Amino acid sequence: MEHRIVGPGPYRATKLWNETVELFRARMPLRKHRCRFKSYDRCFTAAEAVDWLHELLRCSQNFGPEVTRKQTVQLLKKFLKNHVIEDIKGKWGQEDFEDNRHLYRFPPSSPLKPYPKKPTYQKDVIKFPEWNDPPPSTSQENIPVRPVVMTSEMWYKRHSIAIGEVPACRLICRRQLTEANVEEIWKSMTLAYLQKVLGLDSLEEVLDIKLVNSKFILHNVYSVSKQGVVILDDKSKELPHWVLSAMKCLANWPNCSDLKQPMYLGFEKDVFKTIADYYGHLKEPLLTFHLFDAFVSVLGLLQKEKMAIEAFQICCLLLPPENRRKLQLLMRMMARICLNKEMPPLCDGFGTRTLMVQTFSRCILCSKDEVDLDELLAARLVTFLMDNYQEILKVPLALQTSIEERVAHLRRVQIKYPGADMDITLSAPSFCRQISPEEFEYQRAYGSQEPLAALLEEVITDATLSSKEKKKKLKQFQKSYPEVYQERFPTPESEALLFPEKPKPKPQLLMWALKNPFQPFQRTRSFRM
């Protein structure tokens, strides 16, 4: 029994907790132990539990090999607090688990966590303005909607180009898009793109759409430096000067021969502690509380690296600009420190990479409410960020291009043809219904033929058309829709019945064409001799 991959979606942290508890109870080796001259069956020591669970988490694709033994001990403390395990005397409820020889056992049943009940978020993605939308001040609540009845005349007008007649057209200038309209377009299309990448039916239980600020998205896309770092308009939200100087010092750590850098023994450790203290005292993690579920959901895509990077790109666009800037500078510093072979050890007990993850993971991602696996999930996310931060903190080019093209399209003029039904108010479809392949084939074959057949009958029965005009239109129709025409006139005889031949009158003797018709016959002179 191995850890199954928990993909993106709501309640991913809870699903991972329940999955880990079930695996731990089912596979943890139990045996007989002695303690104080007494034997206990089916139990295990704390050290044995740490060894086994640590190996399980490291081999799981949901957590990865970066999980440390210390993090495993923290998880077992939460197991003891939530009565997943108990000591041999039946005590539980406190986080006093230590990595030692103390004996523990499983209770008769370990409770699994129920899925939390969250308030229902806004389901509908914000609708961006269309061609015929009224100005924002116009109320549409009491506007009656005229039902659309597709008559043969309307079909004829719509297909007039196909059958060879181009009607007159006129240009309609689109009303000026306001700044609010553009912001709504960016927000709506960004969230729709995120939903598509995650493969979810709705973002309802992953993200509260009402908390997404469209101004943040636009600022993070366009207000950036040449290096791609966000530029803040409000300088009071910048990193303090002393923190920024400390980060630059470690990111650009000089060689030992550089005497310009004031150093003493342990100088680099003090500089690192200064940075860690500042980020550790932030009131909110850099990825914010309300985006916790969204980022945890993206962790389910790490097996598909390209899709995970794309999803992280979109989620990072939703951050406040000051958070995105702090995250960019922090990740760049962490990556440079890990790659710098000249950097002295910053901690005696951990390697540099592990130290970076353990120090800054909680200030980057954590939940407002207590989540039992948030430390492991944060470490997993920070590890992936360190390896791919240059790509993740870029603006997704495909998304930016599609939105800019959409905005440009709405600002263009529109060509309107008579009978194009542009003046009819149509309600936008709210969902799509899946149909069977047989129904699809039937609709493709017969869905559009019935109106065309009605149009053909109208041309046939139109008494105002002369035979010449009717033949011309029927010929054009036959050329455009041969299947419909063939069904109506399967044989040449059936087509001939529409234009019966008129009986030809007998030719009369044209008396006036003869020369002197009443002159007597004159005998010609004989040539005989």
Side-chain angles (χ1 to χ4, degrees):
M1 188 176 181
E2 298 180 354
H3 239 134
R4 65 182 180 88
I5 299 176
V6 180
Y11 317 120
R12 186 172 184 270
T14 304
K15 292 176 183 178
L16 286 173
W17 169 271
N18 292 340
E19 180 83 6
T20 306
V21 169
E22 291 177 345
L23 282 174
F24 186 50
R25 282 184 61 90
R27 301 298 299 273
M28 175 64 200
L30 305 176
R31 62 186 180 90
K32 187 176 182 179
H33 289 81
R34 292 182 61 86
C35 179
R36 296 181 181 180
F37 307 104
K38 189 175 180 181
S39 297
Y40 297 92
D41 293 329
R42 296 183 59 80
C43 58
F44 51 87
T45 66
E48 290 172 347
V50 175
D51 291 339
W52 190 90
L53 186 58
H54 185 214
E55 185 64 22
L56 174 71
L57 296 175
R58 283 173 51 85
C59 295
S60 170
Q61 297 188 37
N62 293 312
F63 301 104
E66 301 289 339
V67 178
T68 63
R69 190 175 182 87
K70 181 180 177 182
Q71 290 175 329
T72 307
V73 172
Q74 293 296 325
L75 180 57
L76 284 166
K77 286 183 177 181
K78 295 179 179 180
F79 279 1
L80 181 61
K81 181 180 179 181
N82 290 276
H83 205 195
V84 176
I85 59 175
E86 62 183 18
D87 69 3
I88 54 174
K89 296 181 180 180
K91 294 181 180 180
W92 61 278
Q94 301 293 328
E95 293 190 8
D96 54 358
F97 183 94
E98 300 293 339
D99 190 356
N100 52 27
R101 301 294 299 176
H102 196 75
L103 294 180
Y104 291 90
R105 68 188 180 190
F106 290 118
S109 63
S110 295
L112 299 180
K113 286 187 174 293
Y115 295 133
K117 294 182 179 180
K118 296 187 178 182
T120 302
Y121 297 146
Q122 179 180 350
K123 292 185 178 181
D124 298 331
V125 179
I126 298 176
K127 177 180 178 295
F128 38 83
E130 297 291 345
W131 282 97
N132 293 320
D133 286 350
S137 58
T138 305
S139 175
Q140 291 185 315
E141 295 181 357
N142 300 320
I143 298 179
V145 179
R146 185 171 57 181
V148 180
V149 180
M150 192 60 66
T151 63
S152 58
E153 180 182 359
M154 296 167 64
W155 269 97
Y156 177 75
K157 290 179 178 179
R158 287 195 171 188
H159 291 269
S160 57
I161 296 180
I163 62 177
E165 296 182 3
V166 180
C169 62
R170 59 192 179 92
L171 297 180
I172 300 177
C173 294
R174 177 70 171 92
R175 65 180 175 84
Q176 185 67 29
L177 287 179
T178 64
E179 183 178 352
N181 295 146
V182 177
E183 291 175 358
E184 289 176 358
I185 294 171
W186 271 92
K187 178 177 178 179
S188 177
M189 295 189 67
T190 301
L191 294 178
Y193 204 75
L194 176 61
Q195 179 177 329
K196 178 182 177 182
V197 174
L198 292 178
L200 301 177
D201 296 331
S202 172
L203 295 176
E204 176 189 359
E205 296 176 339
V206 172
L207 180 66
D208 188 353
I209 297 177
K210 293 182 291 186
L211 298 180
V212 176
N213 193 326
S214 55
K215 294 183 183 294
F216 292 169
I217 302 175
L218 284 167
H219 191 103
N220 292 332
V221 171
Y222 293 110
S223 298
V224 294
S225 64
K226 294 181 179 179
Q227 293 76 26
V229 180
V230 175
I231 301 175
L232 300 180
D233 297 330
D234 187 358
K235 300 303 180 182
S236 64
K237 297 181 179 180
E238 287 273 9
L239 281 170
H241 177 71
W242 50 274
V243 176
L244 191 59
S245 299
M247 295 177 69
K248 289 182 178 179
C249 175
L250 292 185
N252 306 305
W253 186 257
N255 296 326
C256 297
S257 59
D258 189 355
L259 300 179
K260 295 182 180 179
Q261 178 70 36
M263 285 188 291
Y264 53 85
L265 186 62
F267 172 76
E268 67 284 350
K269 295 182 180 179
D270 290 343
V271 175
F272 180 76
K273 186 176 183 300
T274 300
I275 302 170
D277 288 343
Y278 171 78
Y279 277 94
H281 288 84
L282 294 177
K283 296 181 180 179
E284 187 179 28
L286 295 179
L287 301 185
T288 69
F289 287 133
H290 82 272
L291 291 176
F292 174 82
D293 289 332
F295 279 101
V296 170
S297 184
V298 177
L299 287 176
L301 293 174
L302 292 190
Q303 290 73 31
K304 303 175 182 178
E305 183 174 325
K306 186 177 180 180
M307 292 182 63
I309 291 176
E310 194 173 10
F312 275 126
Q313 284 179 334
I314 302 172
C315 288
C316 289
L317 282 182
L318 309 181
L319 296 173
E322 57 270 19
N323 288 39
R324 183 178 172 91
R325 176 176 173 81
K326 291 177 182 177
L327 180 65
Q328 288 174 320
L329 297 177
L330 178 62
M331 296 310 303
R332 185 168 63 178
M333 181 203 74
M334 293 168 61
R336 288 187 178 182
I337 290 176
C338 292
L339 295 176
N340 188 358
K341 297 181 180 180
E342 302 293 335
M343 175 66 67
L346 298 174
C347 180
D348 298 331
F350 297 103
T352 302
R353 181 181 174 87
T354 304
L355 178 65
M356 294 294 112
V357 174
Q358 297 299 314
T359 303
F360 296 108
S361 59
R362 190 162 182 82
C363 72
I364 293 177
L365 179 71
C366 71
S367 175
K368 188 174 184 180
D369 303 321
E370 183 180 359
V371 177
D372 293 313
L373 292 177
D374 58 352
E375 295 177 0
L376 295 175
L377 296 174
R380 181 71 164 150
L381 181 141
V382 172
T383 302
F384 189 78
L385 275 178
M386 287 178 58
D387 295 335
N388 304 277
Y389 80 96
Q390 291 182 332
E391 289 295 324
I392 290 176
L393 295 176
K394 284 182 179 180
V395 177
L397 184 59
L399 174 64
Q400 181 180 356
T401 302
S402 63
I403 297 178
E404 289 176 348
E405 289 178 352
R406 176 64 180 171
V407 173
H409 169 72
L410 292 175
R411 285 174 171 163
R412 295 191 190 105
V413 296
Q414 182 195 25
I415 301 177
K416 179 178 178 181
Y417 294 96
D421 307 323
M422 292 297 297
D423 54 339
I424 299 178
T425 305
L426 297 175
S427 58
S430 57
F431 66 93
C432 296
R433 181 177 64 86
Q434 186 175 5
I435 61 176
S436 63
E438 295 77 12
E439 188 176 356
F440 169 74
E441 293 296 334
Y442 177 82
Q443 291 183 4
R444 185 177 67 172
Y446 303 102
S448 61
Q449 291 188 0
E450 294 179 1
L452 291 174
L455 173 61
L456 178 59
E457 290 296 333
E458 186 171 335
V459 174
I460 294 172
T461 58
D462 192 351
T464 61
L465 294 176
S466 64
S467 298
K468 184 177 181 180
E469 293 175 345
K470 187 176 295 188
K471 288 181 179 180
K472 180 180 178 182
K473 289 185 179 295
L474 290 176
K475 186 175 181 181
Q476 292 172 346
F477 192 98
Q478 183 184 15
K479 184 178 180 181
S480 300
Y481 309 104
E483 296 178 356
V484 180
Y485 191 88
Q486 179 67 26
E487 185 177 355
R488 177 61 177 82
F489 299 108
T491 60
E493 290 76 11
S494 59
E495 184 179 5
L497 293 176
L498 185 61
F499 302 101
E501 295 184 359
K502 296 181 180 180
K504 296 182 179 180
K506 294 182 179 181
Q508 299 179 357
L509 183 62
L510 302 179
M511 301 299 295
W512 53 269
L514 298 176
K515 221 176 188 183
N516 300 324
F518 300 107
Q519 289 183 0
F521 177 76
Q522 296 181 2
R523 186 173 183 177
T524 60
R525 186 178 179 180
S526 174
F527 290 96
R528 294 178 64 184
M529 297 302 297

